[in-house]
Amino acid sequence: MDAEKVVAEHYGKPDLENAILAGVAAVGLDPDHFEPDDLAAVDHFHVGGAEAAENVARGAGIGSGMRVLDIGSGIGGPARLFAHRFGATVHGVDLTPSFVATAQSLTRRCGLSGQVSFSQASGLDLPFSDGEFDAATMMHVGMNVEHKDALFREVHRVLRHGGVFAVYDIMVTGEGEPQFPLPWAANAETSFLRSPLDYERELEEAGFAVTGERNRHGFALEFLTRAQARLADNDPRLAGMQMVLGPEGLVRMGHLAQAIRAGTLAPVEIFSQRDGV
């Protein structure tokens, strides 16, 4: 099985951009010109939305003038947030062509094309020079990556000495097995969940020094409760998310909420630094 191909097909929706723009228009905004924050309910496909991305940015010390790589950038919500709110220059990479095209279009419509760019690429084979970035982020991506050790080595390579790598993934935090389908996978074939200890070990083996970790269990449950209600109400701003999640969207979200409530899974932040300053 080509896991990356399956993952790209899982997320890829050719009409995604049109669905998002229709949702923007439905709430009275101009689909050709809007502010990045206008998309906050739409363009963050991870637990906690824009607030979670802002927490990651602060934890990673992202600031003005920094060169940031966002791995698994989706439709570009975190990348635009890092640029708009923190002044960084950001490049996002993603496996899914429709995500990359939508991210580029939304970024242009927000007036951030000079600061934020995207390309289709695998985190296992990043098309960048050694030491090109000051920081890297990865939000809800590792669940679809079997060989995290190879990914972490690639991130280490493209970061400068002392560069920060911030991960925010769903991780195994207790006993039991989650029920499928889940937001990132229809079944266990493309779901590669690991514990925070597993992540920390592989980060250290790749040359990173782990500097912080935070379990966001309570934060996640509050967010998922609100998100499930909004999806059930067919909020037009969530048209893009509904399309990505598919007809089983509420079931997928429900299974994730159940696993988090049981303590089996939780979103966890891990911050690390490339050795050498």
Side-chain angles (χ1 to χ4, degrees):
M1 179 189 68
D2 184 340
E4 289 192 336
K5 181 179 179 182
V6 174
V7 169
E9 290 173 350
H10 171 77
Y11 290 112
K13 303 294 185 295
D15 293 326
L16 179 60
E17 180 183 349
N18 290 334
I20 291 172
L21 294 176
V24 168
V27 296
L29 296 172
D30 180 353
D32 291 321
H33 302 283
F34 42 80
E35 293 297 315
D37 289 346
D38 292 334
L39 293 174
V42 178
D43 62 354
H44 292 263
F45 293 163
H46 48 261
V47 173
E51 184 179 353
E54 188 162 345
N55 289 337
V56 166
R58 294 189 188 283
I62 291 173
S64 180
M66 288 181 64
R67 301 161 299 165
V68 178
L69 173 65
D70 186 33
I71 300 157
S73 49
I75 63 171
R80 286 187 290 273
L81 184 147
F82 300 156
H84 179 63
R85 297 191 188 177
F86 294 88
T89 298
V90 190
H91 189 89
V93 296
D94 201 281
L95 288 173
T96 307
S98 63
F99 275 7
V100 174
T102 301
Q104 291 169 331
S105 175
L106 295 177
T107 300
R108 184 178 65 253
R109 294 167 194 267
C110 290
L112 285 174
S113 293
Q115 206 172 341
V116 184
S117 56
F118 301 91
S119 59
Q120 185 183 352
S122 167
L124 300 176
D125 185 19
L126 293 168
F128 307 110
S129 303
D130 295 359
E132 193 166 332
F133 295 94
D134 301 303
T137 57
M138 188 176 85
M139 303 186 65
H140 285 29
V141 173
M143 303 96 71
N144 287 128
V145 179
E146 181 177 10
H147 301 293
K148 295 177 182 61
D149 54 347
L151 171 62
F152 295 164
R153 287 194 297 270
E154 267 293 87
V155 176
H156 185 274
R157 180 184 65 79
V158 302
L159 282 176
R160 65 166 174 80
H161 291 290
V164 174
F165 182 27
V167 173
Y168 178 58
D169 273 351
I170 302 293
M171 302 185 193
V172 176
T173 53
E175 300 297 323
E177 294 292 333
Q179 188 173 352
F180 289 90
L182 288 162
W184 60 89
N187 53 58
E189 282 193 339
T190 54
S191 180
F192 306 104
L193 292 160
R194 299 291 184 269
S195 72
L197 284 176
D198 291 330
Y199 271 76
E200 291 176 8
R201 184 188 69 254
E202 295 196 5
L203 283 165
E204 289 170 354
E205 289 175 355
F208 288 98
V210 175
T211 59
E213 176 194 316
R214 182 164 65 152
N215 183 314
R216 305 308 314 275
H217 176 272
F219 172 72
L221 283 179
E222 291 178 9
F223 173 83
L224 287 170
T225 300
R226 295 193 302 270
Q228 285 175 288
R230 294 179 67 188
L231 283 169
D233 289 342
N234 290 315
D235 186 329
R237 290 172 295 181
L238 301 185
M241 184 179 293
Q242 289 173 317
M243 180 176 287
V244 170
L245 289 173
E248 293 183 313
L250 280 172
V251 173
R252 292 173 185 269
M253 295 281 278
H255 288 167
L256 177 57
Q258 180 181 347
I260 291 176
R261 193 173 292 112
T264 301
L265 303 178
V268 178
E269 298 171 346
I270 297 179
F271 298 95
S272 60
Q273 188 174 33
R274 184 176 188 236
D275 290 343
V277 180

